[in-house]
Amino acid sequence: MSLYLWAGGGSSVPQVIRYRQILVVPGMAALLGVSFVARTAVTATVMALTMYVVLGLHMSYTAAGGVSAALTIGLALSGPLLGRLIDRRGLRRVLGVTVAVQAGVWLSVPFLPYTALLGAAFVAGLLMVPAQQVARQAIAASTTPAQRRAAFALESVQGELSYLVGPAAVILCATKASPGAVAWGLGTLIVVGGTGMALLNPPLRAEDEAEAERPPRREWLDVGMVAVLTMAFGTTMLLSGVDIAVIATLEEAGQAPWAAVVVAVLGAGSVTGGLVYGALSRPLPTWFLLGLLGLVTLPIGLAREWPWLCVAVLGTGLLAAPALSALADTVTRLAPAGVRGEATGLQSSAQSAGFALGSPIAGVAVDVSVPASGFAVAGLIGLATAMTGYLLCRRRPSPWAPASIRHDPTKTTDAGVL
């Protein structure tokens, strides 16, 4: 059955948007399927290494944090590196190298001592299969402007589902089987996903972009792109801070086991919000979505019991995927075709850095005050980066503006498109 969502359009007649129209784009359903396999495995890599160090090597969580940090640093650096290589060398070559590296790393994990595992984790992050970047570039190349926002909404929903499934599956398997075997299984899924994308070899440029030249970085990495990257960083800082604050709040209340339920509600809300946002007939400004996300996050700390916390996080959940999909859409619109891989890689790096920093910052706030301060800090981060993004792009011409405005630097448009 087709999925129909009703959303108010520019007229009084509701507009029906069919997500089936996105899935029938040649190769799109298959691409989303294999990229989901790879992304689900990638989201579980930190948890898999943590469980292996703690349960397999019988070391401390501090030691596990060191391995996770090495992986995260590699992931943060990999985005622009692999994106630039895709732009210059082509998709299949990059996927071939990353698949081979991932196969070697995850096959060797159960045999490595701790010091070698640190290096292997960094290499695994640096040369991780770029499933998210490939999906975003393929969406930009294969869909029409009218379809693109709905397509990116599906991509954001896919990301939310991967975060819900991946880490939980690793925890379950690692406690029931050997952590080393879990590492092998995870590596297998990454290799399968990367190989599937290489076989599909989706177009990363539209037909009229096939001969697009690579402009100098100073021409496209302008104030507008910096604004979007800043908001990408702030969005994931907020979301990772909320996760820590949820755990801290319920631990103080003696209800820590219910954290999984609250996080599941948060994820379900995000999936719903992403689908609804993709059905809207007009985009909402990225800075506006992030600002709302910050506002609804601020008062979550008023909830002290898990049922009320489930209700309180719904607002954050409903706005999370829309903000992420708006960011992805805007990056692909701002980036010229010749550098789209590097631009989406920069976005991935900004979001990885946000995830890495959001948790410890919220954790410090919780330690020096009360658990509710974790939500307050996360919300303030969202508001601050939304305002920063707005101010940076206030006088930048909109990528949706008429060409006469877009190419005239003396004219301005509403910064709301960013």
Side-chain angles (χ1 to χ4, degrees):
M1 180 180 296
S2 302
L3 174 61
Y4 296 91
L5 287 177
W6 293 83
S11 66
S12 59
V13 179
Q15 179 183 6
V16 179
I17 294 187
R18 304 181 182 184
Y19 281 102
R20 187 174 64 181
Q21 294 176 354
I22 307 299
L23 297 176
V24 298
V25 172
M28 185 60 66
L31 174 64
L32 291 175
V34 295
S35 66
F36 177 72
V37 171
R39 288 180 70 175
T40 301
V42 170
T43 60
T45 52
V46 170
M47 186 60 67
L49 289 175
T50 298
M51 300 299 285
Y52 175 73
V53 171
V54 173
L55 300 180
L57 297 180
H58 305 289
M59 299 180 71
S60 67
Y61 279 98
T62 300
V67 176
S68 299
L71 177 71
T72 302
I73 292 170
L75 287 170
L77 295 175
S78 71
L81 170 66
L82 295 181
R84 189 178 182 89
L85 287 174
I86 290 172
D87 289 335
R88 291 189 169 187
R89 303 298 181 185
L91 177 60
R92 279 187 165 170
R93 288 186 180 181
V94 173
L95 286 176
V97 171
T98 55
V99 164
V101 169
Q102 295 303 312
V105 168
W106 291 99
L107 183 65
S108 64
V109 162
F111 308 106
L112 296 177
Y114 179 75
T115 52
L117 190 60
L118 287 170
F122 175 77
V123 172
L126 186 65
L127 295 174
M128 182 58 69
V129 171
Q132 185 181 64
Q133 293 170 242
V134 172
R136 288 174 176 171
Q137 287 182 260
I139 286 172
S142 303
T143 57
T144 65
Q147 296 172 324
R148 201 158 293 151
R149 186 158 36 82
F152 277 118
L154 284 178
E155 187 269 338
S156 293
V157 166
Q158 179 196 69
E160 289 295 327
L161 291 174
S162 68
Y163 276 103
L164 286 174
V165 173
V170 162
I171 293 173
L172 178 63
C173 294
T175 55
K176 300 294 183 181
S178 164
V182 171
W184 285 344
L186 197 67
T188 299
L189 290 177
I190 294 175
V191 168
V192 168
T195 302
M197 286 189 290
L199 292 175
L200 289 173
N201 194 27
L204 303 185
R205 298 182 185 181
E207 292 183 2
D208 59 349
E209 300 172 336
E211 303 300 324
E213 297 182 357
R214 180 181 178 84
R217 190 176 287 113
R218 64 178 180 275
E219 292 186 7
W220 61 269
L221 192 55
D222 59 4
V223 65
M225 185 65 76
V226 171
V228 180
L229 296 177
T230 299
M231 290 186 285
F233 175 73
T235 301
T236 51
M237 279 191 76
L238 182 153
L239 294 175
S240 62
V242 166
D243 287 342
I244 290 296
V246 165
I247 295 171
T249 298
L250 294 179
E251 185 177 17
E252 183 183 62
Q255 301 174 351
W258 291 100
V261 176
V262 177
V263 171
V265 170
L266 185 66
S270 184
V271 169
T272 303
L275 292 174
V276 171
Y277 179 72
L280 297 178
S281 59
R282 295 179 181 178
L284 292 173
T286 307
W287 63 265
F288 179 73
L289 286 168
L290 179 53
L292 280 181
L293 184 59
L295 281 176
V296 300
T297 300
L298 286 173
I300 293 178
L302 297 176
R304 303 297 178 87
E305 305 288 330
W306 74 266
W308 291 111
L309 203 55
C310 286
V311 175
V313 299
L314 272 178
T316 298
L318 289 171
L319 289 165
L324 292 169
S325 63
L327 288 164
D329 190 10
T330 306
V331 167
T332 57
R333 289 175 184 263
L334 293 180
V339 295
R340 194 174 287 147
E342 185 174 355
T344 56
L346 285 172
Q347 182 195 354
S348 295
S349 293
Q351 292 182 181
S352 295
F355 272 121
L357 291 177
S359 295
I361 289 176
V364 169
V366 169
D367 288 339
V368 301
S369 182
V370 294
S373 64
F375 296 111
V377 167
L380 289 173
I381 287 172
L383 288 172
T385 50
M387 180 59 68
T388 300
Y390 172 77
L391 293 175
L392 284 174
C393 65
R394 183 174 54 182
R395 296 184 60 80
R396 187 189 191 281
S398 162
W400 293 281
S404 60
I405 296 177
R406 192 165 60 246
H407 299 302
D408 186 348
T410 65
K411 298 181 180 179
T412 61
T413 58
D414 184 6
V417 295
L418 293 182

